[in-house]
Amino acid sequence: MVNCYGLVTVKNKPVPLKSIAVEVSVQGHVATVSSTLQYENQEENPLEAIFVFPLPGEAAVCRFRTKIGQTEVVAEVQEKQKQYDDLLSSGQQAFLLEESDESPDVFKLSVGSLPPGEKASVSLDYVTELAVQADDGLRLCLPAVLNPRYQPQDSGSGGSALVSSVPTGSVPYSLSLSARVSSLHPICRVESNCPLDPLNYLNTEKTQATVSLAAGHQFDRDVELLLYYQDTHQPTAIVEAAQASAKPGSLMGDPVVMLSLYPEFPNDVMSSMTSLGEFLFVVDRSGSMSCPMHNGSVAQDRIGSARDTLLLLLKSLPMGCYFNIIGFGSRYESFFPKSVEYSQKTMDEALQKVKAMRADLGGTEILQPLKHIYSQPCLPDQPRQLFLFTDGEVGNTKEVLGLVKANAGSHRCFSFGIGEGASSALISGVAKQGGGHSQFITGQDRMQPKVMQSLRFALQPAVVNISVKWNVPKGVSVTSLSPPIRVLFQGQRALLYAQLTGKSSGDTEGSVTVKYSLAEQPVENQLSFSLKLTVHRLGARTLIRSLEMEERQGGGKKKGVQEKVVELSVQSGVSSVFTAFIAVHKVDGEAVQGPMLRRQVPTPSVKQRRRCKEMILCRYYVNIVTVLTICCPVPSDLDCPATASNPVKDPLLQLISLQKASGSWVLEAALAEVLGKTEEEVAKPKPAPVDQEVWATVLALVWLYGFKMEAQEEWQFLAMKAVSWIQAQKAASVSECVQAGNILLGCQVQKDTLGL
């Protein structure tokens, strides 16, 4: 692949950002983010500047304004390009904010003619849903830096605006961030991967609070906020009133209701597992997977963490299922020609291949391996479930999501974003379109517990047969803005939007009845709604995204879809692929004249990438770019050198590696070493009538429950398999085994605790 990159100006000097200010307003599960970026043209000539702004994939851009000198311009959504080109050609200052054709989490801003010596600011507001995390926290991520966008060789998109990364200390701008949080339920705490000032509660009920980013932030990573509320599983239904200035019957002229579903699963449901399924583990093996997991002094590389995770997954699969592992980069490789039945033989063969797995497949191209997977026939009575692991970006996110959605009826997708800057549009979008669940592994997070939680979702019963019935006063009708919900897992939340049209002369209250099945048991909830929240634009965003997907799948030939998207976008002020924020003005009645130049702003590199600085590192981020005049080959992906030494092997992983596919352990020297004993010390206290394999398996369970309870989420499926195996042996003296195991290992684990 060849891309243009470089900086060329009359004086060969950068035009750096001066400051970035972010204000966040969180209301329940929704956040409104307002960001303002200040910069200055220090050249003697006008510039045509391109501004690339990364956003969460689920964001709805709802406000855009610019200020040059003393003149402020507020933009409106219009059909793009033609209006902008006409205005720019007449010499007027024009502003165009449009969504990237390849990915919905990158917006491009053509600032147009920026006069010499002028200070300028760009302000952008967007509203977004907050993602639910494994521990019930709500995640808001402000993308400070995105990983390199890799453009597949056959995409034909040509060159694009890129930004050269520079050391953090050289970045001449600052960041400030403040957040105000409001909730129907008390706010327990707010956490971040960056230092925060103390949480400040604004009322005695603790339903309102403020928090700010602490001073001294280096701006070298994604800024992430995690919010925790009480009673998080309580469903809610809230309404935003119509805008008085909007026409009744239009989206903005009618009330919009948002329904939040976050069901809590009973313990008996969570403890049940299926033994059926085809599990495909699709693992990124591009060069950047050799980079460390975090910035700490002792950090495992990403591919090493992926290997450990695959060990856990392979040991946790139930007997009778099918599986395969596919590695991808610029090309893809499968462990087996097709999925194989899970057995001791196939597990051992796969584990040998996992040990040899390296980050050596070049760039990041997900589309082709997905096409290959979807072309393979599904196995009868074995539901196919994909686990996708990646740390990077792709240049064709929308095409990938369209493919996932088209195959969602037969393939469920779980996705995992590894490291700082993994694309939220790709990771969240794959899970959403594929009816699965997404997880982000950032900072010093461990990959294993998050992945095992998703495996639990895949093996457990899910909420199905979901129906929603709106109960509204006479004279009022309901139009759904969201596609139907097919499935919900433990720990997964869904938001539904609906437009309320018409008027009622009497009752102003409404309600919604939600029915679903869980473990073949019917569940029903009825909620009334009378509250207000900023949900119109999220409802519009949901419908626009659905229509855009329909347009792409129809090859752009489906009549009326583009027109409907444009109408909704202009009406709601939410941008789409067919519209953009456009504004124009003249300076003192005279059009700005002079040759146009493009400039590029340097941005900070992530610390973990500094080892890779000998490579050509290109990053998308908030930037103003210059004319790209140097063309040369760019590496297919960011290849980081392997970490100097691997961390000491975790005893837990050593124990797991010794378990057989059936769930049992063998009495051997390697097991004794993990238990901290000699082989003789382990064998001697075995009750006489007990088989050695049963004794070894009981010892492994006692050790897990006695010493590794903090990691139970990682080994719970292995333990369940072990218990099932012991019970199938109909072994005598199990109680005596547990007692002897406790004495040997110095534990006090009860037989009932083990599930025996």
Side-chain angles (χ1 to χ4, degrees):
M1 180 183 71
V2 175
N3 266 331
C4 294
Y5 77 100
L7 314 174
V8 174
T9 65
V10 173
K11 295 185 178 181
N12 198 29
K13 294 181 180 179
V15 183
L17 287 167
K18 296 300 182 182
S19 66
I20 300 176
V22 179
E23 294 183 0
V24 180
S25 175
V26 177
Q27 299 185 68
H29 289 245
V30 174
T32 301
V33 181
S34 303
S35 23
T36 300
L37 296 100
Q38 307 281 352
Y39 56 94
E40 181 180 1
N41 177 13
Q42 298 175 344
E43 300 296 327
E44 297 177 354
N45 297 294
L47 307 177
E48 181 185 4
I50 296 177
F51 175 74
V52 180
F53 194 82
L55 293 175
E58 295 300 307
V61 179
C62 54
R63 184 169 175 266
F64 168 60
R65 66 180 181 183
T66 63
K67 187 174 182 181
I68 295 179
Q70 299 302 312
T71 304
E72 183 174 6
V73 179
V74 178
E76 295 180 352
V77 173
Q78 300 179 31
E79 282 196 80
K80 63 185 179 185
Q81 209 55 55
K82 183 179 186 301
Q83 289 90 334
Y84 174 76
D85 290 343
D86 291 346
L87 294 167
L88 191 61
S89 64
S90 67
Q92 301 181 71
Q93 286 181 344
F95 305 87
L96 171 70
L97 177 68
E98 60 180 330
E99 184 177 309
S100 165
D101 293 334
E102 294 82 20
S103 175
D105 68 349
V106 174
F107 280 73
K108 300 175 182 177
L109 165 65
S110 295
V111 177
S113 48
L114 178 62
E118 285 283 11
K119 293 182 179 180
S121 69
V122 175
S123 298
L124 185 74
D125 293 4
Y126 65 90
V127 60
T128 186
E129 300 169 1
L130 301 180
V132 179
Q133 299 302 287
D135 57 359
D136 295 336
L138 299 177
R139 179 180 184 263
L140 171 67
C141 184
L142 303 179
V145 64
L146 296 180
N147 282 355
R149 292 278 178 181
Y150 180 78
Q151 186 65 48
Q153 296 175 9
D154 57 355
S155 66
S157 67
S160 58
L162 298 177
V163 183
S164 296
S165 185
V166 298
T168 301
S170 302
V171 180
Y173 58 80
S174 60
L175 171 69
S176 66
L177 180 145
S178 62
R180 182 187 178 100
V181 184
S182 301
S183 172
L184 297 176
H185 306 293
I187 303 162
C188 298
R189 64 188 189 276
V190 178
E191 297 178 353
S192 178
N193 60 337
C194 303
L196 297 176
D197 290 333
L199 186 66
N200 177 36
Y201 288 107
L202 302 180
N203 58 7
T204 55
E205 296 83 5
K206 295 187 175 181
T207 57
Q208 296 184 10
T210 58
V211 68
S212 300
L213 195 66
H217 176 59
Q218 293 298 308
F219 209 26
D220 57 353
R221 68 194 70 185
D222 285 3
V223 178
E224 180 182 77
L225 295 179
L226 295 171
L227 315 175
Y228 297 87
Y229 302 145
Q230 288 184 20
D231 304 319
T232 54
H233 291 284
Q234 292 294 322
T236 57
I238 49 184
V239 173
E240 181 183 51
Q243 290 187 359
S245 59
K247 179 182 177 182
S250 66
L251 178 62
M252 303 305 289
D254 287 336
V256 169
V257 60
M258 180 177 71
L259 171 65
S260 173
L261 292 178
Y262 187 34
E264 187 169 20
F265 286 35
N267 288 331
D268 59 335
V269 172
M270 292 181 65
S271 62
S272 62
M273 284 200 315
T274 179
S275 61
L276 300 177
E278 180 187 5
F279 299 90
L280 303 180
F281 305 113
V282 186
V283 183
D284 189 343
R285 288 177 53 187
S286 63
S288 60
M289 285 289 287
S290 63
C291 292
M293 287 291 294
H294 57 81
N295 299 335
S297 57
V298 181
Q300 187 179 24
D301 58 23
R302 295 171 183 175
I303 196 67
S305 183
R307 285 194 297 266
D308 289 347
T309 301
L310 287 172
L311 166 66
L312 268 176
L313 287 167
L314 288 171
K315 293 288 185 174
S316 301
L317 291 178
M319 298 295 287
C321 75
Y322 286 74
F323 77 99
N324 203 350
I325 298 174
I326 299 97
F328 70 90
S330 300
R331 63 185 192 281
Y332 61 90
E333 298 176 353
S334 298
F335 277 22
F336 305 101
K338 61 180 181 179
S339 294
V340 294
E341 186 173 0
Y342 182 71
S343 66
Q344 185 67 41
K345 180 178 181 296
T346 56
M347 184 193 75
D348 287 343
E349 187 176 348
L351 286 173
Q352 289 302 315
K353 293 177 182 289
V354 167
K355 289 179 182 178
M357 196 171 68
R358 299 290 181 267
D360 55 3
L361 292 185
T364 307
E365 293 192 27
I366 294 175
L367 189 63
Q368 293 308 316
L370 287 179
K371 285 182 176 180
H372 170 73
I373 290 169
Y374 293 139
S375 70
Q376 304 299 307
C378 293
L379 299 169
D381 301 321
Q382 300 284 355
R384 182 175 287 175
Q385 309 202 59
L386 276 65
F387 285 64
L388 173 65
F389 302 82
T390 183
D391 71 338
E393 318 283 338
V394 294
N396 53 356
T397 300
K398 292 182 180 179
E399 192 175 357
V400 170
L401 298 186
L403 181 65
V404 171
K405 182 178 180 180
N407 291 275
S410 55
H411 296 69
R412 184 191 291 177
C413 294
F414 297 86
S415 54
F416 305 89
I418 305 168
E420 307 287 349
S423 170
S424 61
L426 178 65
I427 304 304
S428 300
V430 164
K432 184 173 183 177
Q433 299 300 339
H437 189 263
S438 62
Q439 300 267 24
F440 290 87
I441 300 103
T442 59
Q444 298 198 25
D445 289 347
R446 281 175 52 79
M447 188 186 303
Q448 289 82 3
K450 294 194 173 186
V451 173
M452 297 311 292
Q453 186 204 43
S454 291
L455 179 62
R456 189 176 78 231
F457 295 160
L459 293 172
Q460 286 176 344
V463 169
V464 294
N465 301 324
I466 303 169
S467 67
V468 177
K469 181 180 179 182
W470 300 95
N471 310 298
V472 292
K474 187 177 181 180
V476 177
S477 62
V478 180
T479 303
S480 177
L481 303 176
S482 304
I485 305 174
R486 296 187 303 272
V487 63
L488 271 178
F489 306 109
Q490 162 70 12
Q492 189 176 23
R493 179 217 55 202
L495 296 180
L496 289 175
Y497 303 91
Q499 179 180 351
L500 307 177
T501 304
K503 291 185 177 181
S504 170
S505 57
D507 190 8
T508 58
E509 294 290 318
S511 66
V512 58
T513 302
V514 181
K515 297 181 180 180
Y516 55 83
S517 297
L518 176 58
E520 300 183 355
Q521 296 297 315
V523 179
E524 180 174 330
N525 286 309
Q526 185 173 30
L527 307 165
S528 60
F529 45 83
S530 59
L531 302 176
K532 297 181 179 180
L533 187 66
T534 309
V535 298
H536 267 88
R537 290 187 173 93
L538 283 175
R541 190 277 330 271
T542 300
L543 183 55
I544 286 170
R545 288 283 183 265
S546 181
L547 290 170
E548 287 174 346
M549 191 75 72
E550 187 179 332
E551 169 78 358
R552 269 193 303 279
Q553 291 173 347
K557 298 178 181 179
K558 199 155 185 179
K559 188 175 180 181
V561 175
Q562 179 173 338
E563 290 78 6
K564 179 65 173 175
V565 170
V566 171
E567 179 186 354
L568 276 170
S569 181
V570 172
Q571 183 186 119
S572 63
V574 173
S575 63
S576 71
V577 295
F578 305 121
T579 57
F581 286 87
I582 299 176
V584 63
H585 69 81
K586 295 182 179 180
V587 178
D588 299 326
E590 297 293 333
V592 179
Q593 302 296 332
M596 293 301 238
L597 306 174
R598 286 191 180 180
R599 297 294 321 215
Q600 181 172 355
V601 169
T603 62
S605 59
V606 179
K607 289 180 183 177
Q608 66 191 42
R609 306 291 193 183
R610 286 178 180 169
R611 301 178 188 177
C612 312
K613 62 185 177 182
E614 73 277 1
M615 304 294 291
I616 300 172
L617 176 59
C618 297
R619 264 190 211 288
Y620 280 93
Y621 181 60
V622 178
N623 62 93
I624 304 168
V625 299
T626 66
V627 175
L628 308 175
T629 61
I630 303 175
C631 292
C632 74
V634 176
S636 61
D637 197 23
L638 178 60
D639 292 319
C640 291
T643 50
S645 60
N646 290 325
V648 177
K649 194 70 174 179
D650 185 348
L652 174 60
L653 291 177
Q654 287 182 293
L655 181 75
I656 290 170
S657 68
L658 298 174
Q659 189 184 32
K660 297 172 67 174
S662 62
S664 67
W665 275 267
V666 175
L667 196 62
E668 57 182 333
L671 175 63
E673 182 182 354
V674 173
L675 301 179
K677 306 290 181 181
T678 66
E679 192 170 4
E680 183 181 357
E681 288 173 331
V682 170
K684 188 174 181 180
K686 179 185 77 69
V690 176
D691 177 79
Q692 284 193 348
E693 201 166 340
V694 172
W695 168 240
T697 304
V698 170
L699 285 178
L701 287 172
V702 170
W703 187 86
L704 287 171
Y705 279 95
F707 297 105
K708 292 296 178 180
M709 282 300 294
E710 76 282 357
Q712 185 178 13
E713 194 163 31
E714 300 181 35
W715 51 259
Q716 59 181 325
F717 294 123
L718 289 80
M720 292 170 69
K721 286 174 65 175
V723 169
S724 296
W725 180 85
I726 292 173
Q727 292 171 337
Q729 307 311 305
K730 296 182 170 35
S733 305
V734 172
S735 296
E736 190 179 347
C737 280
V738 174
Q739 184 178 1
N742 277 320
I743 294 172
L744 174 66
L745 300 177
C747 301
Q748 295 181 339
V749 179
Q750 300 299 312
K751 177 183 174 184
D752 291 344
T753 302
L754 300 179
L756 295 169

